Amino acid sequence: MHKETKLELYRNIGIIAHIDAGKTTTTERILFYTGVSHKMGEVHDGSAVMDWMEQEQERGITITSAATTCYWNGIDNLFADHRINIIDTPGHVDFTIEVERSLRVLDGAVGIFCAVGGVEAQSETVWRQANKYKVPRIVFINKMDRPGADFYRVMDDMRKKLGNNIYPINLPLFEKDSFVGIIDIITEKAYLWKDSNFGLDFDIINVPLSKVSEVKERKNLLLELAAESSDDLMEKYFKNGFLDNYDIVKGLRYRVINNEIVLLLCGSSFKNKGVQNLLDAVLMYLPSPVDIPSVFGSFNDVKVECPPSVDAHFAALAFKVATDPFVGTLTYIRVYSGKASSGQFVFNVNKSNKERLSRILLMHANHREEIKNIKVGDIVAIVGLKNTFTGDTLCSLDKKVVLEKIEFPSPVMSIALEPKTKNDQDRISVGLRKLMHEDPSFIVSIDSESNQTILSGMGELHLNIIVDRLKREFNVDSVIGKPQVAYRETITKCVSQEGKYIRQSGGRGQYGHVFLKVEPLLSGGFEFVDAIVGGVIPKEYISAVKKGVIEQMEKGVIYGYPIVDIKVSLYDGSFHDVDSSEIAFKLAASIGFKDAVLKANPILLEPIMSVEISLSEEYLGSVIGDLNRRRGIIQRMHDVSLAKIIRSKVPLSEMFGYATDLRVMTQGRASYSMEFLCYSPVPENIAKNLSKKN
């Protein structure tokens, strides 16, 4: 299947959307039409190629991002063979890390939206993630065949919530209220699919008379957008009064790649309508690796360019680690510059060691094709990397570079895990270690008091999947504790405090003495300021002071939860020529910091979730009343076709078991999505009832 392809014919794309928008179904159709698979897999019956994990097939959701490669030369075979590397990402917010790290390495993305549901909460989240990495996008309004589908309403919804730079290049076509095809605005042709033969057979006809006026109007708008892309096209437009279709595509492509506009298509993946046109749009409008700026890294504080050229030095980013039962650990990498071959040694700059590219695999979900060489633009899996994990840079031995790392969200929920037997104890540590390597948003810790193993993740579903994988893949039976919320502590006022650690017990003593100023950090995070002047504390002890503060922050002061959003300044102190040491200053800093926090009006923070509920109007009163009981705040309500949408803010601690409660309240006729929004102070009456951890 592997073919040598020119770099300008590469497309590295991701399929992104909210849950149930049809990402995996769309990808399955792409694999069918490009000849990768000869049978259409379906999410609802567990046969989707890209949802290959047992948990994915059972639950009908995507849990882990899956990569595949296919080739496409156009709906009319008019293009050269393009190589499309596709990553199908999860839609559930608990697995947002999969979206984050996929977008980090992609050149373009296809956003999928439901023609009924429109822009949902998770849609906005993935859109913000794409904005963060400046990923060019096109969008596809899916499920146009569904009752209540409304192309124009969803387009307006997208412009309001995602930006007003979204322009259609397709229009839906209906016959007797049935969705039958699409109108291509640029070519001014309509595509009508036949219900037989899986969408392979279609007719191309002229635009129906009822749509001619709208098509002309929207094409003129696209023409103007294209003309504004360059002086040459603008001059041609003014001179001739029009642009041909080739120039329109050229101009629109330039503006898509520069994130100035987003082009909109439509169809029904499940009914096999519009997917081939979407593939054509990927070729025409999304960038190749040579269309995007060079990636820059650094080494020893020197900026290093990684140009998209096979003649440049080798540089690649590891963005995912997976455990395969047949070949062992797979490390997924995106090559940004240069080339490499199997058996070659490369350098892991983050770990400062050499790694051997033992085997290189081109992935098709969980199927593999071994290849010998890789080059810039490739997304592949490497077998045999011993110390390379997510976010690490691999580069040439003679040209070191560190690429920007991937940021991971902090966990918001924890559960206690206890093995049932001694044998389970041995297996559990191996399993957890492997799962942590795969998923950096999943953290394992040991409670210092109870000695329990604590699993922390992004939500109930995320942790349930982890526990299920431990049982299936590592044969671990365990007892699960009640979910715990990841609270945080912070302060509300500025305080200065002295910290002393002095011990004398024969021989050499210990002497550490610091003055700290702690204050709230409105921008968030942690900041340490060395404000020592005149050498009252030697430089070699400053890092020990910072370390002592950080360790106490992690332990917390009031309830034992980590302290956040704080600035600490070291401004004075003293030392002893003989008795002072790093450990003494570390302990002095810890004591001083703890005392300062106690005086700085400490408060407890809790994670607040953005909750979006879709339901019929008859259950509106019950659901709103229930949200109020959960300390929820209704932000807004609006209508979509055949449903009401409630957007609210609710503390995470009040949302355990909500899926079951909502099902009971609405007789199973409502759905919801939830994502982390922010941390907010816990009301005093509730904070008092929370038991201390320390």
Side-chain angles (χ1 to χ4, degrees):
M1 166 135 189
H2 177 61
K3 306 175 187 176
E4 281 298 321
T5 309
K6 294 179 180 176
L7 196 53
E8 57 267 26
L9 301 181
Y10 272 60
R11 298 292 184 270
N12 291 320
I13 66 166
I15 311 292
I16 59 173
H18 59 81
I19 195 167
D20 288 336
K23 296 180 305 302
T24 300
T25 302
T26 303
T27 309
E28 294 295 321
R29 271 47 182 181
I30 289 173
L31 297 182
F32 178 78
Y33 295 129
T34 57
V36 174
S37 57
H38 301 288
K39 176 181 177 295
M40 284 188 183
E42 302 292 0
V43 175
H44 62 268
D45 63 13
S47 63
V49 174
M50 300 300 278
D51 285 349
W52 57 271
M53 291 174 65
E54 288 181 16
Q55 293 94 332
E56 293 178 315
Q57 294 170 354
E58 289 171 3
R59 297 167 187 259
I61 61 170
T62 302
I63 292 170
T64 182
S65 54
T68 191
T69 298
C70 59
Y71 296 85
W72 182 248
N73 63 0
I75 193 169
D76 298 317
N77 304 316
L78 297 177
F79 297 97
D81 250 359
H82 283 63
R83 172 172 168 161
I84 307 176
N85 296 319
I86 303 172
I87 297 180
D88 175 30
T89 63
H92 198 287
V93 68
D94 282 19
F95 310 107
T96 189
I97 179 61
E98 295 286 342
V99 183
E100 186 84 20
R101 60 183 172 188
S102 298
L103 287 170
R104 171 67 177 80
V105 300
L106 293 170
D107 301 328
V110 177
I112 310 287
F113 293 81
C114 175
V116 180
V119 181
E120 299 187 9
Q122 183 63 8
S123 311
E124 296 180 58
T125 300
V126 297
W127 201 261
R128 286 194 299 271
Q129 288 172 302
N131 286 340
K132 175 182 172 182
Y133 294 110
K134 298 181 173 61
V135 178
R137 278 144 281 173
I138 58 176
V139 289
F140 182 72
I141 296 181
N142 190 26
K143 303 187 179 184
M144 287 302 308
D145 61 299
R146 291 267 303 274
D150 191 330
F151 174 84
Y152 297 96
R153 176 183 55 76
V154 175
M155 181 170 65
D156 289 342
D157 197 27
M158 292 167 72
R159 286 172 170 171
K160 286 175 187 172
K161 296 175 181 176
L162 308 178
N164 60 3
N165 62 337
I166 297 170
Y167 300 94
I169 57 172
N170 285 174
L171 293 175
L173 191 59
F174 291 87
E175 283 183 3
K176 298 178 181 177
D177 296 328
S178 293
F179 176 69
V180 294
I182 61 113
I183 297 170
D184 186 314
I185 293 173
I186 295 174
T187 62
E188 299 179 74
K189 296 291 183 182
Y191 291 75
L192 270 69
W193 278 269
K194 298 172 182 179
D195 290 331
S196 59
N197 205 17
F198 306 107
L200 291 169
D201 297 332
F202 53 86
D203 294 321
I204 303 176
I205 63 171
N206 292 325
V207 175
L209 288 175
S210 60
K211 287 288 185 179
V212 168
S213 175
E214 182 185 359
V215 170
K216 291 284 186 189
E217 185 181 331
R218 293 191 181 277
K219 184 172 180 177
N220 285 335
L221 177 58
L222 294 174
L223 190 154
E224 290 171 6
L225 289 169
E228 291 168 1
S229 67
S230 71
D231 291 341
D232 288 346
L233 288 181
M234 182 63 78
E235 187 179 334
K236 189 182 284 190
Y237 177 48
F238 280 138
K239 183 179 177 182
N240 301 327
F242 70 95
L243 294 174
D244 60 29
N245 290 348
Y246 175 82
D247 284 334
I248 293 174
V249 170
K250 179 182 174 183
L252 294 177
R253 173 181 172 82
Y254 177 86
R255 299 199 69 181
V256 169
I257 291 173
N258 283 279
N259 275 301
E260 295 172 12
I261 62 171
V262 176
L263 299 179
L264 172 62
L265 299 93
C266 65
S268 170
S269 300
F270 185 61
K271 296 293 185 179
N272 311 312
K273 295 177 173 67
V275 178
Q276 298 102 313
N277 301 76
L278 176 62
L279 275 167
D280 278 8
V282 168
L283 306 193
M284 290 191 290
Y285 301 111
L286 291 181
S288 72
V290 298
D291 294 317
I292 57 175
S294 296
V295 171
F296 284 88
S298 63
F299 188 69
N300 290 337
D301 296 325
V302 177
K303 198 172 182 181
V304 180
E305 183 180 6
C306 302
S309 167
V310 291
D311 299 321
H313 58 94
F314 179 75
L317 183 72
F319 68 94
K320 179 180 171 73
V321 176
T323 302
D324 188 287
F326 301 102
V327 298
T329 301
L330 294 173
T331 307
Y332 287 76
I333 66 168
R334 157 70 196 266
V335 184
Y336 283 101
S337 68
K339 58 185 177 182
S341 305
S342 59
Q344 181 177 328
F345 281 96
V346 294
F347 195 74
N348 182 331
V349 193
N350 304 85
K351 302 294 190 301
S352 296
N353 61 11
K354 288 198 298 184
E355 291 270 32
R356 185 172 179 266
L357 305 178
S358 302
R359 295 171 63 197
I360 303 171
L361 303 178
L362 199 61
M363 299 300 293
H364 307 293
N366 67 329
H367 301 292
R368 301 164 296 275
E369 178 186 353
E370 191 161 348
I371 58 176
K372 296 298 182 186
N373 303 296
I374 51 173
K375 66 179 182 181
V376 54
D378 280 340
I379 295 176
V380 296
I382 309 294
V383 179
L385 300 182
K386 293 181 171 59
N387 296 298
T388 299
F389 302 119
T390 300
D392 288 353
T393 300
L394 298 175
C395 62
S396 309
L397 297 176
D398 57 349
K399 181 76 172 179
K400 309 288 194 307
V401 61
V402 180
L403 299 172
E404 183 185 350
K405 293 198 73 168
I406 304 169
E407 295 178 7
F408 305 119
S410 300
V412 296
M413 187 181 292
S414 303
I415 56 172
L417 184 76
E418 290 186 8
K420 285 187 176 180
T421 67
K422 179 68 170 67
N423 288 336
D424 287 326
Q425 177 67 61
D426 298 335
R427 287 193 294 267
I428 209 167
S429 56
V430 174
L432 289 175
R433 198 178 306 115
K434 287 186 176 180
L435 292 175
M436 272 201 299
H437 288 162
E438 288 187 26
D439 183 357
S441 66
F442 162 60
I443 296 172
V444 180
S445 58
I446 305 296
D447 188 279
S448 56
E449 283 195 358
S450 65
N451 211 31
Q452 284 181 312
T453 301
I454 307 298
L455 312 186
S456 302
M458 302 307 297
E460 280 185 284
L461 179 60
H462 185 201
L463 294 173
N464 286 341
I465 295 293
I466 294 288
V467 172
D468 190 43
R469 289 188 66 188
L470 278 173
K471 186 172 182 176
R472 294 186 194 226
E473 296 172 28
F474 303 98
N475 198 26
V476 171
D477 273 330
S478 55
V479 179
I480 309 301
K482 186 181 174 184
Q484 301 292 318
V485 176
Y487 292 100
R488 298 286 185 266
E489 298 176 23
T490 193
I491 60 173
T492 56
K493 75 174 187 179
C494 179
V495 168
S496 294
Q497 179 64 41
E498 180 184 25
K500 267 186 184 180
Y501 184 78
I502 302 173
R503 295 287 186 274
Q504 196 70 49
S505 56
R508 183 176 173 180
Q510 294 285 351
Y511 184 96
H513 182 211
V514 299
F515 284 90
L516 301 173
K517 179 182 170 184
V518 301
E519 53 193 310
L521 189 61
L522 298 178
S523 58
F526 168 63
E527 184 181 344
F528 181 82
V529 179
D530 174 11
I532 293 294
V533 293
V536 294
I537 296 177
K539 285 285 183 188
E540 60 263 32
Y541 298 141
I542 303 296
S543 61
V545 174
K546 183 179 179 180
K547 191 174 180 182
V549 168
I550 291 173
E551 285 185 5
Q552 191 59 55
M553 284 176 63
E554 290 170 352
K555 294 176 186 174
V557 171
I558 306 298
Y559 292 91
Y561 295 103
I563 297 173
V564 296
D565 304 340
I566 196 167
K567 178 180 178 181
V568 179
S569 303
L570 171 64
Y571 67 91
D572 203 358
S574 63
F575 73 102
H576 190 279
D577 288 334
V578 177
D579 292 346
S580 285
S581 63
E582 286 192 7
I583 187 70
F585 272 95
K586 182 179 138 182
L587 291 168
S590 178
I591 293 165
F593 177 77
K594 189 172 182 178
D595 291 343
V597 170
L598 289 169
K599 295 176 182 178
N601 288 351
I603 59 171
L604 193 63
L605 302 174
E606 63 180 342
I608 304 295
M609 312 304 286
S610 175
V611 180
E612 187 171 281
I613 306 165
S614 174
L615 72 167
S616 59
E617 192 167 1
E618 61 188 294
Y619 304 109
L620 196 61
S622 301
V623 170
I624 290 176
D626 182 69
L627 287 172
N628 290 334
R629 286 190 291 276
R630 296 174 188 268
R631 297 193 282 128
I633 298 171
I634 308 296
Q635 292 177 291
R636 63 185 177 92
M637 288 189 290
H638 64 277
D639 295 327
V640 298
S641 181
L642 307 175
K644 291 272 188 186
I645 301 292
I646 303 173
R647 181 76 65 90
S648 61
K649 298 191 298 183
V650 191
L652 176 61
S653 59
E654 306 287 350
M655 291 298 293
F656 294 141
Y658 187 66
T660 302
D661 293 345
L662 183 65
R663 198 177 301 121
V664 171
M665 277 188 290
T666 63
Q667 299 179 6
R669 296 175 184 170
S671 62
Y672 84 105
S673 62
M674 181 173 72
E675 64 174 318
F676 172 74
L677 182 64
C678 63
Y679 272 92
S680 183
V682 178
E684 279 190 33
N685 61 318
I686 294 174
K688 286 177 182 175
N689 294 327
L690 290 170
S691 60
K692 289 189 177 183
K693 286 177 65 183
N694 64 347

